[in-house]
Amino acid sequence: MYTEPNTYDIVGVGFGPSNLALAIALDEILLERGRELSHCFIERQAQFIWHGDMLLPGTDMQISFLKDLVSLRDPTSPYSFVNYLRQHNRLEAFINQKTFFPSRIEFNDYLRWTAGHFDAHCRYGESVTRVAPEYKGRDVVALTVHSADAAGRERQRRTRSLVFAPGGRPFVPPCLAERNDARIIHSSRYLGEIERNPLDVGGEHAFAVVGGGQSAAEIFLDLVARYPSAKVDLILRGSTLKPSEDGPSINHIFDPDYTDFFFGQPQKVRLSLLAEFRHTNYAVVDGDLIERISAMLYAQRVEGTARVRVLSSCAIEQVRCDEHGVTLDLAQAGAAQPLQQRYQRVISATGYLRDTSRSLLAELEHELDGFSIGRHYQLATPAHVQAPIFVQGSSETTHGLADTLLSVLAIRSHEIALSLVNKLAPKPQRPVHASDIVAEEVE
Ligand SMILES: Cc1cc2nc3c(=O)[nH]c(=O)nc-3n(C[C@H](O)[C@H](O)[C@H](O)COP(=O)(O)OP(=O)(O)OC[C@H]3O[C@@H](n4cnc5c(N)ncnc54)[C@H](O)[C@@H]3O)c2cc1C
Ligand SMILES: NC(=O)c1ccc[n+]([C@@H]2O[C@H](COP(=O)([O-])OP(=O)(O)OC[C@H]3O[C@@H](n4cnc5c(N)ncnc54)[C@H](OP(=O)(O)O)[C@@H]3O)[C@@H](O)[C@H]2O)c1
């Protein structure tokens, strides 16, 4: 049981990898400086889990384990992936795998193990619903963070500062979302939904997976393996699955140093860099998955079967739901008639939006300078807003493509933690001696 202070120094919204990295960095700096700041992180999930409904067997990390929560800043930290391996007696065995890319299941276990060290600062099972400014005259002197648990019980916490890290919000195209049908599932809920309402494994079902990104490809392969008699269609707008651009010459755009370069560019240049490098991250699939899908399609041609299909250059024109399933009308480039297909489940692997921080701050909107974010991730506010607000993972257009990824966590969290400690628990002023004044006058 914990007792909560009347006012926190820092409240964090969300406890995924970004705010977990911040918890470590804060701990480190406060210990080093002999200071204390009361802080807590409010997390919607009941326990720490990293994209739990996408922890599919056989899926790997997309970045090196050396880009863990701490190593780029301090490879000697006890919270490194290497120390996690050592503590779990798997260091040599991991080395023998000869890989930089652990499974996502193992990396989740590393993150969960690290998060366990910060339980005292975590308020799991509560969703932040809004943030309200507290005015004294014209000044915003504090913020009140409102949250609710799964049973609808509401709580409020007063804080002197705020750090948002709520991650992405699932995006479902309107034509699918409007149906509001439980058989249409966003990829972020895939495993939970497919396991909660399972179809019989040997049944002749039909599944559609919409999207051409990594989530779509992983789910497509999972369904093919999970339901060996089912028909599975991968439906993409593009003309083909695109491999992610990867390799030593391009990967420097994910280096923390690149953030300075990117931030220093005019907005027009930033936007053209984002467009140029979009296919390092979005709407792309790992090359080895594309090879597995191609091999499967070719094997079917040899057998003369068509259990699985990749339907490219396809737009969803209409969606109908009835007791038999979800019917999609698919307009395929070059085809005279739309293709009509009925599915038992439609998985929308159509990506994420990053607007949660902004919508939770709606009551403060008039105080924000158009949601402009400074180099060290602080929202621009006028001087009378005395509570600093930081955001993680919402500044791709100013900080670059690495902003939503793990690549910058070790450095970004340290930058934010330093700003917070300097603002909220500054070093005590050294008493001014007469000799200082003389020295200044001589200069
Ligand atoms: C399936 C998948 C795999 C990925 N794999 C990689 C990879 O290998 N490498 C890589 O660099 N990136 C990867 N990414 C990108 C991903 O964004 C980062 O790995 C990482 O999760 C970012 O951490 P975060 O803490 O910013 O966001 P998240 O991990 O999304 O965490 C945000 C947390 O905030 C909580 N939350 C949200 N809203 C609220 C609220 N209102 N109140 C309270 N809590 C809230 C959520 O429950 C969540 O726990 C992957 C993304 C996905 C979807
Ligand atoms: N193993 C892993 O490490 C792993 C696994 C999954 C995801 N991830 C990461 O998670 C992030 C998100 O990946 P993601 O695959 O979920 O999303 P994504 O890369 O944003 O891809 C979304 C896909 O949905 C399509 N789409 C969007 N709107 C659509 C619409 N209205 N109609 C039809 N199609 C639509 C897009 O089509 P267009 O191509 O036409 O734009 C795109 O192909 C990425 O950073 C990715 O690397 C990592």
Short mmCIF file of all heavy atoms in Angstrom, two decimals, residues 50-51 54 59-63 104 171-176 186-187 210-218 235-238 242 278-284 286 314-316 348-352 354 404-405, ligand 2:
data_model
loop_
_atom_site.label_atom_id
_atom_site.label_comp_id
_atom_site.label_asym_id
_atom_site.label_seq_id
_atom_site.Cartn_x
_atom_site.Cartn_y
_atom_site.Cartn_z
N TRP A 50 4.24 -4.97 -23.06
CA TRP A 50 4.63 -4.16 -24.23
C TRP A 50 3.91 -4.70 -25.46
O TRP A 50 4.24 -5.75 -25.95
CB TRP A 50 6.16 -4.24 -24.39
CG TRP A 50 6.71 -3.49 -25.55
CD1 TRP A 50 6.54 -2.18 -25.85
CD2 TRP A 50 7.56 -4.04 -26.58
NE1 TRP A 50 7.23 -1.87 -27.00
CE2 TRP A 50 7.86 -2.98 -27.45
CE3 TRP A 50 8.11 -5.30 -26.82
CZ2 TRP A 50 8.68 -3.17 -28.57
CZ3 TRP A 50 8.92 -5.48 -27.92
CH2 TRP A 50 9.20 -4.42 -28.78
N HIS A 51 2.91 -3.96 -25.95
CA HIS A 51 2.09 -4.39 -27.09
C HIS A 51 1.74 -5.87 -26.96
O HIS A 51 2.03 -6.69 -27.83
CB HIS A 51 2.82 -4.11 -28.42
CG HIS A 51 3.18 -2.66 -28.60
ND1 HIS A 51 2.23 -1.66 -28.64
CD2 HIS A 51 4.37 -2.03 -28.70
CE1 HIS A 51 2.81 -0.48 -28.77
NE2 HIS A 51 4.11 -0.68 -28.80
N MET A 54 0.22 -8.21 -29.52
CA MET A 54 1.03 -8.46 -30.73
C MET A 54 2.27 -9.28 -30.39
O MET A 54 3.22 -9.34 -31.17
CB MET A 54 1.44 -7.13 -31.37
CG MET A 54 0.36 -6.49 -32.22
SD MET A 54 -0.07 -7.49 -33.66
CE MET A 54 1.40 -7.31 -34.67
N THR A 59 8.09 -13.69 -33.59
CA THR A 59 8.38 -12.32 -34.05
C THR A 59 9.58 -11.76 -33.30
O THR A 59 9.77 -12.01 -32.11
CB THR A 59 7.16 -11.39 -33.84
OG1 THR A 59 6.78 -11.42 -32.46
CG2 THR A 59 5.99 -11.81 -34.69
N ASP A 60 10.39 -10.99 -34.05
CA ASP A 60 11.65 -10.47 -33.50
C ASP A 60 11.62 -8.96 -33.37
O ASP A 60 10.82 -8.28 -34.00
CB ASP A 60 12.81 -10.85 -34.43
CG ASP A 60 13.02 -12.34 -34.48
OD1 ASP A 60 12.69 -13.02 -33.49
OD2 ASP A 60 13.51 -12.82 -35.52
N MET A 61 12.58 -8.46 -32.58
CA MET A 61 12.79 -7.03 -32.45
C MET A 61 13.24 -6.45 -33.78
O MET A 61 13.89 -7.14 -34.57
CB MET A 61 13.91 -6.75 -31.45
CG MET A 61 13.60 -7.11 -30.06
SD MET A 61 12.27 -6.11 -29.46
CE MET A 61 13.02 -4.49 -29.47
N GLN A 62 12.92 -5.16 -33.97
CA GLN A 62 13.35 -4.52 -35.21
C GLN A 62 14.56 -3.62 -34.99
O GLN A 62 15.01 -2.97 -35.92
CB GLN A 62 12.21 -3.74 -35.81
CG GLN A 62 11.14 -4.69 -36.36
CD GLN A 62 10.12 -3.99 -37.21
OE1 GLN A 62 9.57 -3.00 -36.80
NE2 GLN A 62 9.88 -4.50 -38.40
N ILE A 63 15.05 -3.55 -33.75
CA ILE A 63 16.30 -2.82 -33.53
C ILE A 63 17.19 -3.66 -32.63
O ILE A 63 16.73 -4.58 -31.96
CB ILE A 63 16.09 -1.42 -32.90
CG1 ILE A 63 15.36 -1.55 -31.57
CG2 ILE A 63 15.37 -0.49 -33.83
CD1 ILE A 63 15.40 -0.28 -30.77
N ARG A 104 10.46 -10.64 -29.63
CA ARG A 104 9.68 -9.61 -28.94
C ARG A 104 9.22 -10.13 -27.59
O ARG A 104 9.08 -9.38 -26.63
CB ARG A 104 8.51 -9.14 -29.81
CG ARG A 104 9.00 -8.47 -31.11
CD ARG A 104 7.92 -7.71 -31.84
NE ARG A 104 7.26 -6.83 -30.92
CZ ARG A 104 6.01 -6.95 -30.53
NH1 ARG A 104 5.29 -7.93 -31.00
NH2 ARG A 104 5.51 -6.10 -29.68
N PHE A 171 -5.65 3.21 -35.25
CA PHE A 171 -6.43 3.83 -36.33
C PHE A 171 -7.14 2.73 -37.13
O PHE A 171 -6.50 1.79 -37.61
CB PHE A 171 -5.53 4.64 -37.28
CG PHE A 171 -6.26 5.04 -38.55
CD1 PHE A 171 -7.24 6.03 -38.52
CD2 PHE A 171 -6.00 4.39 -39.75
CE1 PHE A 171 -7.94 6.36 -39.67
CE2 PHE A 171 -6.70 4.72 -40.91
CZ PHE A 171 -7.67 5.72 -40.87
N VAL A 172 -8.46 2.85 -37.25
CA VAL A 172 -9.26 1.94 -38.09
C VAL A 172 -9.93 2.80 -39.15
O VAL A 172 -10.56 3.82 -38.82
CB VAL A 172 -10.33 1.20 -37.25
CG1 VAL A 172 -11.19 0.30 -38.12
CG2 VAL A 172 -9.67 0.39 -36.14
N PRO A 173 -9.80 2.46 -40.46
CA PRO A 173 -10.43 3.28 -41.50
C PRO A 173 -11.93 3.43 -41.23
O PRO A 173 -12.58 2.47 -40.79
CB PRO A 173 -10.19 2.47 -42.79
CG PRO A 173 -9.06 1.56 -42.48
CD PRO A 173 -9.09 1.31 -41.01
N PRO A 174 -12.49 4.63 -41.49
CA PRO A 174 -13.90 4.89 -41.16
C PRO A 174 -14.85 3.83 -41.70
O PRO A 174 -15.78 3.43 -41.01
CB PRO A 174 -14.16 6.27 -41.78
CG PRO A 174 -12.82 6.91 -41.88
CD PRO A 174 -11.81 5.82 -42.02
N CYS A 175 -14.63 3.33 -42.93
CA CYS A 175 -15.59 2.37 -43.51
C CYS A 175 -15.70 1.11 -42.64
O CYS A 175 -16.75 0.48 -42.58
CB CYS A 175 -15.19 2.00 -44.94
SG CYS A 175 -13.59 1.19 -45.08
N LEU A 176 -14.62 0.76 -41.91
CA LEU A 176 -14.67 -0.40 -41.01
C LEU A 176 -15.13 0.01 -39.61
O LEU A 176 -15.96 -0.66 -38.99
CB LEU A 176 -13.28 -1.05 -40.90
CG LEU A 176 -12.74 -1.75 -42.17
CD1 LEU A 176 -11.28 -2.11 -42.00
CD2 LEU A 176 -13.57 -3.00 -42.48
N HIS A 186 -8.85 -4.28 -34.45
CA HIS A 186 -7.57 -3.62 -34.77
C HIS A 186 -6.41 -4.52 -34.35
O HIS A 186 -6.53 -5.27 -33.36
CB HIS A 186 -7.46 -2.26 -34.05
CG HIS A 186 -6.24 -1.49 -34.48
ND1 HIS A 186 -5.06 -1.52 -33.76
CD2 HIS A 186 -6.00 -0.72 -35.57
CE1 HIS A 186 -4.16 -0.77 -34.40
NE2 HIS A 186 -4.71 -0.27 -35.50
N SER A 187 -5.31 -4.43 -35.08
CA SER A 187 -4.15 -5.30 -34.80
C SER A 187 -3.68 -5.19 -33.34
O SER A 187 -3.20 -6.17 -32.77
CB SER A 187 -2.99 -4.96 -35.74
OG SER A 187 -2.68 -3.59 -35.66
N VAL A 210 -6.24 -6.33 -43.25
CA VAL A 210 -6.14 -5.11 -44.06
C VAL A 210 -4.88 -4.35 -43.66
O VAL A 210 -4.67 -4.09 -42.47
CB VAL A 210 -7.39 -4.21 -43.84
CG1 VAL A 210 -7.31 -2.96 -44.71
CG2 VAL A 210 -8.67 -4.99 -44.11
N GLY A 211 -4.05 -3.99 -44.65
CA GLY A 211 -2.84 -3.23 -44.36
C GLY A 211 -1.62 -3.89 -44.98
O GLY A 211 -1.63 -5.10 -45.25
N GLY A 212 -0.58 -3.07 -45.19
CA GLY A 212 0.63 -3.60 -45.83
C GLY A 212 1.86 -3.36 -44.98
O GLY A 212 2.98 -3.30 -45.49
N GLY A 213 1.69 -3.22 -43.65
CA GLY A 213 2.83 -2.98 -42.77
C GLY A 213 3.26 -4.24 -42.04
O GLY A 213 2.73 -5.34 -42.30
N GLN A 214 4.18 -4.08 -41.09
CA GLN A 214 4.73 -5.22 -40.35
C GLN A 214 3.64 -5.94 -39.55
O GLN A 214 3.60 -7.17 -39.52
CB GLN A 214 5.84 -4.70 -39.40
CG GLN A 214 6.57 -5.77 -38.62
CD GLN A 214 7.47 -6.66 -39.47
OE1 GLN A 214 7.80 -6.33 -40.62
NE2 GLN A 214 7.87 -7.79 -38.92
N SER A 215 2.72 -5.17 -38.94
CA SER A 215 1.65 -5.82 -38.16
C SER A 215 0.81 -6.71 -39.06
O SER A 215 0.46 -7.84 -38.69
CB SER A 215 0.74 -4.77 -37.50
OG SER A 215 1.45 -3.99 -36.58
N ALA A 216 0.45 -6.20 -40.24
CA ALA A 216 -0.40 -6.96 -41.16
C ALA A 216 0.30 -8.26 -41.56
O ALA A 216 -0.31 -9.34 -41.52
CB ALA A 216 -0.71 -6.12 -42.39
N ALA A 217 1.58 -8.17 -41.91
CA ALA A 217 2.30 -9.37 -42.37
C ALA A 217 2.42 -10.40 -41.25
O ALA A 217 2.23 -11.61 -41.47
CB ALA A 217 3.68 -8.96 -42.88
N GLU A 218 2.70 -9.93 -40.02
CA GLU A 218 2.85 -10.87 -38.89
C GLU A 218 1.52 -11.56 -38.60
O GLU A 218 1.48 -12.77 -38.35
CB GLU A 218 3.36 -10.13 -37.65
CG GLU A 218 4.82 -9.69 -37.78
CD GLU A 218 5.35 -9.02 -36.51
OE1 GLU A 218 4.62 -8.92 -35.52
OE2 GLU A 218 6.52 -8.59 -36.55
N ILE A 235 -5.10 -7.77 -47.61
CA ILE A 235 -5.66 -6.76 -48.53
C ILE A 235 -4.87 -5.47 -48.40
O ILE A 235 -4.84 -4.85 -47.33
CB ILE A 235 -7.15 -6.51 -48.19
CG1 ILE A 235 -7.94 -7.82 -48.33
CG2 ILE A 235 -7.73 -5.40 -49.05
CD1 ILE A 235 -9.35 -7.76 -47.74
N LEU A 236 -4.17 -5.08 -49.48
CA LEU A 236 -3.40 -3.83 -49.38
C LEU A 236 -3.77 -2.84 -50.46
O LEU A 236 -4.18 -3.24 -51.55
CB LEU A 236 -1.89 -4.08 -49.40
CG LEU A 236 -1.27 -5.25 -50.08
CD1 LEU A 236 0.01 -4.83 -50.76
CD2 LEU A 236 -0.95 -6.23 -48.98
N ARG A 237 -3.59 -1.56 -50.11
CA ARG A 237 -3.86 -0.50 -51.09
C ARG A 237 -2.74 -0.45 -52.13
O ARG A 237 -2.96 -0.17 -53.28
CB ARG A 237 -3.87 0.88 -50.42
CG ARG A 237 -4.86 1.07 -49.36
CD ARG A 237 -5.04 2.54 -49.08
NE ARG A 237 -4.03 3.08 -48.18
CZ ARG A 237 -4.25 4.13 -47.39
NH1 ARG A 237 -5.42 4.71 -47.40
NH2 ARG A 237 -3.31 4.59 -46.61
N GLY A 238 -1.51 -0.68 -51.66
CA GLY A 238 -0.34 -0.58 -52.54
C GLY A 238 -0.28 -1.73 -53.53
O GLY A 238 -1.03 -2.70 -53.43
N LYS A 242 6.12 -3.90 -49.42
CA LYS A 242 7.42 -3.23 -49.58
C LYS A 242 8.36 -3.63 -48.45
O LYS A 242 7.97 -3.58 -47.27
CB LYS A 242 7.26 -1.71 -49.55
CG LYS A 242 6.47 -1.19 -50.72
CD LYS A 242 6.40 0.34 -50.68
CE LYS A 242 5.38 0.86 -51.66
NZ LYS A 242 3.99 0.57 -51.28
N ARG A 278 10.23 7.51 -45.01
CA ARG A 278 9.02 6.86 -44.45
C ARG A 278 9.14 5.34 -44.49
O ARG A 278 8.75 4.63 -43.56
CB ARG A 278 7.79 7.34 -45.23
CG ARG A 278 6.49 6.76 -44.70
CD ARG A 278 5.26 7.45 -45.26
NE ARG A 278 4.08 6.96 -44.56
CZ ARG A 278 3.31 5.97 -44.98
NH1 ARG A 278 3.59 5.39 -46.14
NH2 ARG A 278 2.29 5.56 -44.28
N HIS A 279 9.71 4.84 -45.56
CA HIS A 279 9.74 3.38 -45.73
C HIS A 279 10.88 2.69 -44.97
O HIS A 279 11.17 1.52 -45.21
CB HIS A 279 9.74 3.02 -47.22
CG HIS A 279 8.39 3.26 -47.83
ND1 HIS A 279 8.22 3.72 -49.09
CD2 HIS A 279 7.15 3.13 -47.30
CE1 HIS A 279 6.91 3.86 -49.32
NE2 HIS A 279 6.26 3.50 -48.25
N THR A 280 11.50 3.41 -44.04
CA THR A 280 12.35 2.70 -43.08
C THR A 280 11.47 2.15 -41.96
O THR A 280 11.90 1.28 -41.21
CB THR A 280 13.37 3.66 -42.42
OG1 THR A 280 12.64 4.76 -41.87
CG2 THR A 280 14.40 4.16 -43.42
N ASN A 281 10.23 2.67 -41.84
CA ASN A 281 9.43 2.32 -40.67
C ASN A 281 7.97 1.99 -40.98
O ASN A 281 7.45 0.99 -40.49
CB ASN A 281 9.50 3.49 -39.66
CG ASN A 281 8.84 3.14 -38.34
OD1 ASN A 281 8.91 1.99 -37.89
ND2 ASN A 281 8.17 4.09 -37.73
N TYR A 282 7.32 2.84 -41.75
CA TYR A 282 5.86 2.69 -41.94
C TYR A 282 5.51 1.96 -43.23
O TYR A 282 6.17 2.13 -44.26
CB TYR A 282 5.18 4.06 -41.96
CG TYR A 282 5.27 4.76 -40.62
CD1 TYR A 282 5.99 5.94 -40.48
CD2 TYR A 282 4.66 4.22 -39.50
CE1 TYR A 282 6.08 6.58 -39.25
CE2 TYR A 282 4.74 4.85 -38.26
CZ TYR A 282 5.45 6.03 -38.15
OH TYR A 282 5.55 6.65 -36.94
N ALA A 283 4.43 1.17 -43.17
CA ALA A 283 3.88 0.49 -44.34
C ALA A 283 4.93 -0.37 -45.02
O ALA A 283 4.94 -0.48 -46.25
CB ALA A 283 3.28 1.52 -45.32
N VAL A 284 5.81 -0.95 -44.23
CA VAL A 284 6.86 -1.82 -44.77
C VAL A 284 6.98 -3.08 -43.92
O VAL A 284 6.54 -3.11 -42.77
CB VAL A 284 8.24 -1.10 -44.82
CG1 VAL A 284 8.28 -0.09 -45.95
CG2 VAL A 284 8.58 -0.47 -43.48
N ASP A 286 9.54 -6.58 -42.87
CA ASP A 286 10.89 -7.17 -42.86
C ASP A 286 11.07 -8.09 -44.07
O ASP A 286 10.17 -8.88 -44.38
CB ASP A 286 11.06 -8.03 -41.60
CG ASP A 286 11.52 -7.19 -40.42
OD1 ASP A 286 11.81 -6.00 -40.62
OD2 ASP A 286 11.56 -7.74 -39.31
N CYS A 314 -5.91 -2.75 -53.85
CA CYS A 314 -7.30 -3.03 -53.50
C CYS A 314 -7.85 -1.95 -52.56
O CYS A 314 -7.23 -1.64 -51.56
CB CYS A 314 -7.32 -4.34 -52.72
SG CYS A 314 -8.33 -5.58 -53.45
N ALA A 315 -9.02 -1.41 -52.90
CA ALA A 315 -9.67 -0.45 -51.99
C ALA A 315 -10.97 -1.07 -51.47
O ALA A 315 -11.69 -1.72 -52.23
CB ALA A 315 -9.97 0.83 -52.74
N ILE A 316 -11.24 -0.85 -50.18
CA ILE A 316 -12.49 -1.36 -49.61
C ILE A 316 -13.59 -0.36 -49.95
O ILE A 316 -13.53 0.80 -49.53
CB ILE A 316 -12.38 -1.53 -48.08
CG1 ILE A 316 -11.22 -2.47 -47.75
CG2 ILE A 316 -13.68 -2.05 -47.50
CD1 ILE A 316 -10.92 -2.58 -46.27
N SER A 348 -7.89 -5.18 -38.85
CA SER A 348 -7.48 -3.90 -39.41
C SER A 348 -6.07 -3.57 -38.89
O SER A 348 -5.92 -3.06 -37.77
CB SER A 348 -8.49 -2.83 -38.98
OG SER A 348 -8.19 -1.60 -39.56
N ALA A 349 -5.07 -3.90 -39.70
CA ALA A 349 -3.67 -3.63 -39.28
C ALA A 349 -3.25 -2.32 -39.94
O ALA A 349 -2.32 -2.28 -40.75
CB ALA A 349 -2.78 -4.79 -39.68
N THR A 350 -3.99 -1.27 -39.62
CA THR A 350 -3.90 -0.01 -40.36
C THR A 350 -3.21 1.11 -39.57
O THR A 350 -3.43 2.29 -39.83
CB THR A 350 -5.34 0.42 -40.78
OG1 THR A 350 -6.24 0.10 -39.69
CG2 THR A 350 -5.79 -0.33 -42.00
N GLY A 351 -2.39 0.73 -38.61
CA GLY A 351 -1.50 1.70 -37.97
C GLY A 351 -2.12 2.48 -36.82
O GLY A 351 -3.16 2.10 -36.26
N TYR A 352 -1.44 3.58 -36.47
CA TYR A 352 -1.74 4.31 -35.23
C TYR A 352 -1.75 5.82 -35.47
O TYR A 352 -1.06 6.31 -36.37
CB TYR A 352 -0.65 4.01 -34.18
CG TYR A 352 -0.65 2.56 -33.76
CD1 TYR A 352 0.00 1.59 -34.54
CD2 TYR A 352 -1.31 2.14 -32.62
CE1 TYR A 352 -0.01 0.24 -34.18
CE2 TYR A 352 -1.33 0.81 -32.24
CZ TYR A 352 -0.68 -0.13 -33.02
OH TYR A 352 -0.70 -1.46 -32.66
N ARG A 354 -1.20 9.60 -33.29
CA ARG A 354 -0.43 10.02 -32.10
C ARG A 354 -0.96 11.33 -31.56
O ARG A 354 -0.22 12.29 -31.40
CB ARG A 354 1.05 10.13 -32.48
CG ARG A 354 1.58 8.80 -32.97
CD ARG A 354 2.95 8.51 -32.45
NE ARG A 354 3.17 7.08 -32.50
CZ ARG A 354 3.57 6.35 -31.49
NH1 ARG A 354 3.80 6.92 -30.32
NH2 ARG A 354 3.75 5.06 -31.62
N THR A 404 9.05 7.72 -32.35
CA THR A 404 8.05 6.75 -31.88
C THR A 404 8.70 5.40 -31.55
O THR A 404 8.00 4.47 -31.16
CB THR A 404 6.97 6.50 -32.96
OG1 THR A 404 7.59 5.86 -34.08
CG2 THR A 404 6.30 7.78 -33.40
N LEU A 405 10.01 5.31 -31.73
CA LEU A 405 10.70 4.02 -31.60
C LEU A 405 11.50 3.94 -30.30
O LEU A 405 11.55 4.88 -29.52
CB LEU A 405 11.61 3.81 -32.81
CG LEU A 405 10.86 3.85 -34.17
CD1 LEU A 405 11.83 3.75 -35.32
CD2 LEU A 405 9.81 2.75 -34.24
N1 LIG B 2 8.11 -7.11 -34.86
C1 LIG B 2 8.10 -5.81 -34.72
O1 LIG B 2 9.05 -5.28 -34.25
C2 LIG B 2 6.89 -4.99 -35.13
C3 LIG B 2 5.67 -5.59 -35.39
C4 LIG B 2 4.59 -4.79 -35.74
C5 LIG B 2 4.73 -3.40 -35.83
N2 LIG B 2 5.92 -2.84 -35.57
C6 LIG B 2 6.11 -1.37 -35.65
O2 LIG B 2 4.91 -0.72 -35.30
C7 LIG B 2 4.75 0.46 -36.05
C8 LIG B 2 3.39 0.41 -36.77
O3 LIG B 2 3.37 -0.66 -37.75
P1 LIG B 2 1.98 -1.17 -38.34
O4 LIG B 2 2.25 -2.22 -39.32
O5 LIG B 2 1.06 -1.45 -37.21
O6 LIG B 2 1.38 0.15 -39.06
P2 LIG B 2 1.94 0.97 -40.33
O7 LIG B 2 3.35 0.66 -40.61
O8 LIG B 2 1.54 2.37 -40.11
O9 LIG B 2 1.10 0.36 -41.55
C9 LIG B 2 -0.28 0.59 -41.66
C10 LIG B 2 -0.78 0.00 -42.97
O10 LIG B 2 -2.18 0.23 -43.03
C11 LIG B 2 -2.51 0.73 -44.30
N3 LIG B 2 -3.68 1.59 -44.22
C12 LIG B 2 -3.83 2.72 -43.48
N4 LIG B 2 -5.04 3.25 -43.71
C13 LIG B 2 -5.67 2.43 -44.58
C14 LIG B 2 -6.95 2.47 -45.19
N5 LIG B 2 -7.82 3.46 -44.97
N6 LIG B 2 -7.27 1.46 -46.06
C15 LIG B 2 -6.39 0.49 -46.33
N7 LIG B 2 -5.16 0.41 -45.78
C16 LIG B 2 -4.81 1.38 -44.91
C17 LIG B 2 -1.31 1.50 -44.75
O11 LIG B 2 -1.41 1.58 -46.15
P3 LIG B 2 -0.44 2.39 -47.12
O12 LIG B 2 0.70 1.44 -47.30
O13 LIG B 2 -1.24 2.53 -48.35
O14 LIG B 2 -0.13 3.64 -46.41
C18 LIG B 2 -0.17 0.64 -44.21
O15 LIG B 2 0.18 -0.35 -45.13
C19 LIG B 2 5.95 0.53 -36.99
O16 LIG B 2 6.92 1.29 -36.35
C20 LIG B 2 6.41 -0.90 -37.05
O17 LIG B 2 7.79 -1.02 -37.32
C21 LIG B 2 7.01 -3.60 -35.24
#
